[in-house]
Amino acid sequence: MARDFTSVGVVGLGTMGAGIVEVFARNGVDVVAVEVSAGALERGRAILTASVDRAVARGKLADTERDALLGRVRFEVGLDALHSVDLAIEAVPEHLDLKQRIFAELDRVCRPEAVLATNTSSLSVTEISVATSRPHQVIGIHFFNPAPVMKLVEVVRTVVTSADVVADVEALCSRLGKVDVTISDRAGFIANALLFGYLNHAVGMFEAHYATREDIDAAMKLGCGLPMGPLALMDLIGLDTAYEILDTMYRRGGRDRRHAPVPLIKQMVTAGLLGRKSGRGFYTYERPGSPVVVPDERTPVATQAAVGDGARATAKIGIVGSGTMATGIIEVFAKAGYEVVSVTRGAEKSARVFEAVRTSLNKGVVRGKLSEADRDAALGRINWSATLEHLADVDLVVEAVVEELSVKKALFASLDEICKPGVVLATTTSSLPVIDVAMATQRPADVIGLHFFNPAPVMPLVEVVETIRTSAETTATARAVCAALGKTGVVCGDRSGFIVNALLFPYLNDAVKMLEASYSTADDIDHAMKLGCGYPMGPFELLDVVGLDVSLAIQRELYLELREPGFAPAPLLEHLVTAGYLGRKSGRGFRDHTRR
Ligand SMILES: NC(=O)c1ccc[n+]([C@@H]2O[C@H](COP(=O)([O-])OP(=O)(O)OC[C@H]3O[C@@H](n4cnc5c(N)ncnc54)[C@H](O)[C@@H]3O)[C@@H](O)[C@H]2O)c1
């Protein structure tokens, strides 16, 4: 029989503590909520009340439930109030000495059989536990932010945590409606170990003016289906907390430079820009604690105005290529009302592309998203050709041929001869430097990257890749075209992986390394990222969909360009590719897809 935790103490009522109080009180557990001062206690009470009121306003909680919930919480200053709880959870700032002091105090105050838990994200639970005389009753219970919403709890067992304490806490998690993964004591556990390198990298991109905050966040939301962009997430976590987590992970986790906090984070913390909780971080909020972003001096002027800025008129579009991307892009432009000239390497390929576009448009008709007349009009706008000369009078060329630099360079040299002046020449490359392609022409200022995502008709994102030679008009034209296609164009520099792949693939690679180190299982890692961070797919699910060979190639490119030791491809990934386990397409990758 699992122990019944009927009374729980929560220490520290900040971002996490207040949420943890709510989780317990919602599930009928009495809570003693403790802070360091009367002022901090009132702030904690206000966070809890505001969250519960939001739940009532959204119809997720009845008035009576609200009152019962709040009635279960007793607010007190000082740890002495925790003398009779069955379980105490600490959620104070991420400093080892502070946590150790609190645990020594909890050990003195709490009943001998009480379990003592820490919500630390990155500190060693073992080091915290040795500040008590009962390390076997100390455990990590790592909730995710916002605690009432996120389903995951990481249960962290040290080498001395007793098995029944682990079992009791696991049972408690399911009573709270949470899904737990039990792991050993390692910096960042599962989710943060995979998340924080990515967050830090995103801040680094922002600091280097590689892209705007809006574009970095939009790229990850629209390109990967994440619930929030990395900079908005930093604001939610709190920059002070994020700094401490990164710093600890850097020191504990083998001094991986990717965890060394980007200097900007420390500067923002020093300046009091802590994120939502202080009303300002990467974004500005209505007031401290509010989730509502308000415009500030960094907010881009209305898209239309920016787009109109020097954009050239485009009506006729040339698209070169006959693969998956070219086919999708032809459909996107034709559907948006552009006149399209498709150039392939022969009538047979053109016929195949035509069939594919027609089939895809027909699906739209069947789903009621497109009328038959609109389908026919879209197909009627496409001219099929096998000679580049037909691109003499187009306004924009989008190249989507094979991912080989020599082929692309030769093509751009030809386009340079054929196309009229002022045409924007775009490449859809996902891994080659756009500048190499641009320099194959005599007009590098007109060359830009338009990185569509697969499937192009569905994915709302386009990365607009500027080289150091790209002109402002070319960028403005590319952005205007994205807007006219109903897509979000995010502008970024010409570096390996642009925004999305540069932030996504190292994370996937890290997940493979974590599996390789036997820290956790593929299932638990997938669970952790889906339920703890709201990702639509876990890393292993995604790797199997993308293809392990494709992922390895992208990771290699990133490594070769940036020479970041942490980006070196995981040996396990290399071995799986060598063994022909490429993911869904070959029937087996991290999982066996033939038996499902
Ligand atoms: N923010 C996140 O997204 C997140 C997610 C999971 C876990 N965590 C972890 O949760 C813990 C708390 O982080 P946070 O973001 O909630 O921090 P926070 O700064 O928002 O809140 C910390 C609270 O602890 C209080 N406090 C400080 N000293 C105290 C003491 N001696 N006694 C009682 N209360 C005291 C502070 O007044 C403050 O209200 C950290 O260990 C952090 O790593 C954070």
Side-chain angles (χ1 to χ4, degrees):
M1 254 305 271
R3 166 191 342 217
D4 207 10
F5 297 100
T6 52
S7 162
V8 169
V10 177
V11 185
L13 306 177
T15 306
M16 288 311 292
I20 295 170
V21 169
E22 183 177 337
V23 169
F24 281 103
R26 256 189 197 214
N27 286 282
V29 181
D30 289 330
V31 185
V32 185
V34 169
E35 260 291 352
V36 70
S37 67
L41 198 62
E42 278 322 302
R43 278 198 299 278
R45 192 199 297 266
I47 299 176
L48 175 66
T49 321
S51 168
V52 176
D53 285 346
R54 272 200 302 276
V56 173
R58 288 195 196 129
K60 294 198 170 155
L61 200 70
D63 275 332
T64 47
E65 287 172 318
R66 168 192 186 276
D67 297 342
L69 187 162
L70 294 175
R72 279 185 211 110
V73 187
R74 212 174 85 217
F75 291 91
E76 302 279 355
V77 172
L79 298 180
D80 285 338
L82 302 179
H83 55 81
S84 58
V85 298
D86 305 317
L87 164 72
I89 301 187
E90 160 280 313
V92 304
E94 191 79 342
H95 298 291
L96 182 60
D97 50 347
L98 172 65
K99 295 202 191 253
Q100 284 184 324
R101 245 186 301 129
I102 288 188
F103 270 72
E105 190 66 11
L106 286 173
D107 190 33
R108 192 184 57 75
V109 169
C110 295
R111 292 186 299 148
E113 62 276 21
V115 171
L116 307 181
T118 172
N119 184 51
T120 184
S121 309
S122 57
L123 294 166
S124 160
V125 179
T126 316
E127 281 182 58
I128 295 172
S129 76
V130 294
T132 73
S133 64
R134 52 175 114 175
H136 56 287
Q137 274 161 251
V138 175
I139 193 164
I141 306 185
H142 184 230
F143 285 89
F144 285 76
N145 188 3
V149 178
M150 302 313 287
K151 280 255 172 269
L152 184 77
V153 175
E154 287 173 327
V155 174
V156 185
R157 157 185 63 193
T158 74
V159 282
V160 291
T161 311
S162 71
D164 55 325
V165 168
V166 174
D168 291 345
V169 167
E170 287 172 341
L172 173 69
C173 290
S174 17
R175 280 215 307 284
L176 298 174
K178 302 287 184 194
V179 175
D180 67 275
V181 293
T182 301
I183 44 191
S184 59
D185 189 14
R186 197 175 109 161
F189 313 129
I190 298 176
N192 285 350
L194 296 181
L195 185 68
F196 271 83
Y198 147 71
L199 293 178
N200 203 36
H201 190 178
V203 176
M205 283 183 170
F206 174 73
E207 188 189 54
H209 302 284
Y210 181 65
T212 64
R213 61 181 184 189
E214 282 82 4
D215 280 359
I216 293 171
D217 279 352
M220 295 314 285
K221 277 171 68 172
L222 302 178
C224 304
L226 304 187
M228 319 178 81
L231 302 176
L233 179 56
M234 286 288 287
D235 277 359
L236 174 71
I237 291 169
L239 270 75
D240 48 348
T241 301
Y243 176 84
E244 294 303 333
I245 293 173
L246 281 166
D247 193 49
T248 315
M249 289 194 22
Y250 174 69
R251 283 185 283 107
R252 276 188 76 204
R255 302 200 178 249
D256 183 341
R257 281 193 314 172
R258 293 175 304 151
H259 291 139
V262 166
L264 179 66
I265 303 176
K266 185 59 177 273
Q267 290 161 23
M268 290 176 71
V269 172
T270 309
L273 308 179
L274 306 183
R276 281 191 194 181
K277 61 181 157 192
S278 72
R280 183 152 187 184
F282 288 101
Y283 295 90
T284 302
Y285 299 85
E286 214 171 23
R287 67 189 119 73
S290 163
V292 181
V293 173
V294 294
D296 59 19
E297 70 284 355
R298 284 190 195 276
T299 307
V301 272
T303 337
Q304 234 20 58
V307 160
D309 213 9
R312 298 179 199 146
T314 44
K316 194 166 175 185
I317 315 293
I319 298 166
V320 188
S322 52
T324 313
M325 290 313 289
T327 306
I329 294 167
I330 290 170
E331 177 183 336
V332 168
F333 276 98
K335 227 163 50 178
Y338 285 95
E339 191 185 344
V340 173
V341 182
S342 156
V343 180
T344 72
R345 279 176 298 158
E348 203 183 303
K349 288 200 187 296
S350 291
R352 229 181 305 141
V353 177
F354 170 78
E355 265 318 308
V357 173
R358 196 172 61 166
T359 308
S360 175
L361 290 172
N362 275 340
K363 278 190 195 145
V365 174
V366 171
R367 293 200 190 114
K369 290 187 175 166
L370 194 72
S371 71
E372 288 187 11
D374 286 345
R375 173 200 59 196
D376 295 343
L379 285 172
R381 279 191 284 270
I382 310 172
N383 306 285
W384 304 97
S385 163
T387 41
L388 291 173
E389 274 65 28
H390 284 132
L391 301 178
D393 66 341
V394 298
D395 307 308
L396 161 71
V397 179
V398 180
E399 163 279 312
V401 303
V402 66
E403 189 79 343
E404 259 174 51
L405 190 55
S406 56
V407 178
K408 293 201 194 262
K409 278 167 89 167
L411 173 60
F412 271 73
S414 305
L415 291 173
D416 191 23
E417 309 248 300
I418 294 165
C419 295
K420 66 184 182 190
V423 174
V424 169
L425 301 177
T427 169
T428 54
T429 181
S430 37
S431 63
L432 301 169
V434 179
I435 189 67
D436 280 343
V437 176
M439 296 312 287
T441 73
Q442 301 298 314
R443 42 175 129 177
D446 296 331
V447 179
I448 199 160
L450 277 182
H451 185 228
F452 284 82
F453 287 72
N454 188 16
V458 178
M459 297 297 284
L461 184 72
V462 180
E463 286 173 321
V464 176
V465 186
E466 286 181 319
T467 76
I468 41 173
R469 298 287 298 262
T470 306
S471 74
E473 298 85 68
T474 301
T475 304
T477 308
R479 293 190 59 187
V481 166
C482 292
L485 295 176
K487 308 259 182 219
T488 298
V490 295
V491 180
C492 64
D494 184 21
R495 272 180 23 191
S496 183
F498 310 135
I499 300 176
V500 174
N501 286 356
L503 292 177
L504 178 68
F505 282 87
Y507 142 76
L508 296 175
N509 193 49
D510 282 349
V512 180
K513 288 183 187 165
M514 183 178 273
L515 181 71
E516 197 167 22
S518 302
Y519 180 61
S520 187
T521 61
D523 285 350
D524 276 359
I525 296 172
D526 276 353
H527 262 128
M529 297 318 290
K530 285 197 285 189
L531 302 176
C533 305
Y535 282 31
M537 278 190 206
F540 298 105
E541 284 172 306
L542 186 56
L543 281 160
D544 274 4
V545 169
V546 172
L548 272 54
D549 49 344
V550 174
S551 305
L552 178 62
I554 295 175
Q555 188 62 29
R556 275 202 188 123
E557 289 286 341
L558 288 170
Y559 178 59
L560 287 178
E561 178 167 311
L562 302 168
R563 297 287 171 181
E564 166 59 61
F567 284 175
L572 175 61
L573 187 59
E574 310 224 17
H575 291 187
L576 288 165
V577 172
T578 309
Y581 294 165
L582 306 182
R584 278 182 185 275
K585 60 185 168 190
S586 72
R588 178 156 176 186
F590 284 95
R591 296 194 172 88
D592 185 350
H593 300 281
T594 53
R595 280 188 281 141
R596 288 174 185 227

